[in-house]
Amino acid sequence: MLYRKFPRAGEDVSILGFGRMRLPVEAGQQAGGKIDVPQATQMIRTAIDAGVNYIDTAYPYHNGESEVVVGKALEGGYRDRVFIATKLPSWLVTGREDMDKFLDEQLARLGTDHIDFYLHHGLGAETWENLSRLGVLEFLDSARADGRIRHPAFSFHDPFSVFKEIVDSYEWTFAQVQYNYMDEQFQAGARRA
C-alpha cells in the first residue's frame, strides 16, 4: 500500500480509502437494506490487513447502521490501525446542541472516544449559512479541545464561490470535493483559488 502525508494532519494516510456508504446486504434485501455483518466485517478487516488505514462512513449511511458495523469491525485491535472518517449530518442540525448530540451519538455507534477526520457532510450555501449562524466554528474548536475530533474537514457539493467562502473560514484539514471527469468545472471541480 502507498501512503501520502496529509499536510495539515501530519498523518500518513493510505492512498486508497475504504468507503462504507454501500455495504453488502443480507440475501433478499434491497440496496441500503439490512447489512450482512459478517461479510461487511470481513471486507473491512481484509482491507485493513492489506494496508488501508482510512475508513470512511457517515451518519445516514444504511440508516445509521454503517457506523455501528464499522465500529464492530474495528474491535479486536483494528481501531488502533485506522483513521476513522465520518460526517456530521449538516442538514439535520437545527441548533448548536445538535452538533454535540450527533457527534456523541456517532462516537457511541463507532465504539470510540475520538473521530480522526470529522467532516461536515454535503456543505453548500444553505447548510453553511445555517451552521455558521448556529456556531459551527465554536463547536469545532470545542470538540477539538476536548479530544472528540482530531481533524476537521467537510464534504462539498456546490459552486466554487461557496467552496472558497467555506474553505477560507477555518483551518480545515481537508475538503472532500465531488470531481466529475467529464466536466471538470462542475461544482468546485478543478478550479484553484
Side-chain angles (χ1 to χ4, degrees):
M1 181 60 63
L2 298 175
Y3 300 88
R4 298 289 184 268
K5 189 167 291 296
F6 268 41
R8 290 192 176 174
E11 308 283 7
D12 290 322
V13 178
S14 56
I15 62 170
L16 179 63
F18 198 32
R20 304 306 11 183
M21 183 172 161
R22 292 176 185 89
L23 290 164
V25 295
E26 291 182 354
Q29 295 282 312
Q30 303 241 345
K34 186 165 174 47
I35 297 169
D36 182 330
V37 176
Q39 185 179 5
T41 300
Q42 180 184 10
M43 290 171 65
I44 293 167
R45 291 180 174 182
T46 298
I48 295 168
D49 289 339
V52 172
N53 70 0
Y54 183 90
I55 306 296
D56 178 273
T57 187
Y59 187 85
Y61 294 174
H62 282 273
N63 298 313
E65 290 302 308
S66 176
E67 290 177 329
V68 173
V69 171
V70 167
K72 294 286 186 201
L74 296 180
E75 291 175 349
Y78 280 88
R79 172 61 179 107
D80 298 333
R81 298 169 57 188
V82 300
F83 300 107
I84 295 176
T86 196
K87 303 169 192 77
L88 172 77
S90 303
W91 60 94
L92 295 177
V93 174
T94 60
R96 168 63 179 82
E97 65 282 353
D98 287 343
M99 297 175 209
D100 287 304
K101 178 189 80 162
F102 286 123
L103 175 56
D104 291 341
E105 183 180 352
Q106 290 173 287
L107 290 166
R109 285 177 176 184
L110 289 160
T112 189
D113 64 351
H114 72 280
I115 294 171
D116 301 291
F117 296 103
Y118 197 57
L119 290 80
H120 289 66
H121 200 168
L123 290 188
E126 289 181 29
T127 51
W128 178 244
E129 181 181 334
N130 182 54
L131 291 177
S132 295
R133 181 177 52 78
L134 296 173
V136 69
L137 301 182
E138 184 275 326
F139 161 72
L140 286 171
D141 289 342
S142 173
R144 289 174 77 188
D146 66 26
R148 289 179 295 162
I149 64 172
R150 294 184 57 220
H151 305 293
F154 64 94
S155 67
F156 182 79
H157 304 284
D158 223 345
F160 181 78
S161 60
V162 178
F163 175 78
K164 183 147 176 39
E165 177 186 343
I166 296 170
V167 82
D168 289 344
S169 70
Y170 195 74
E171 190 71 21
W172 304 101
T173 303
F174 72 92
Q176 193 177 69
V177 180
Q178 178 174 329
Y179 185 79
N180 184 325
Y181 287 104
M182 300 302 290
D183 182 0
E184 293 177 345
Q185 299 311 310
F186 181 71
Q187 296 185 359
R191 280 197 58 190
R192 298 184 192 279

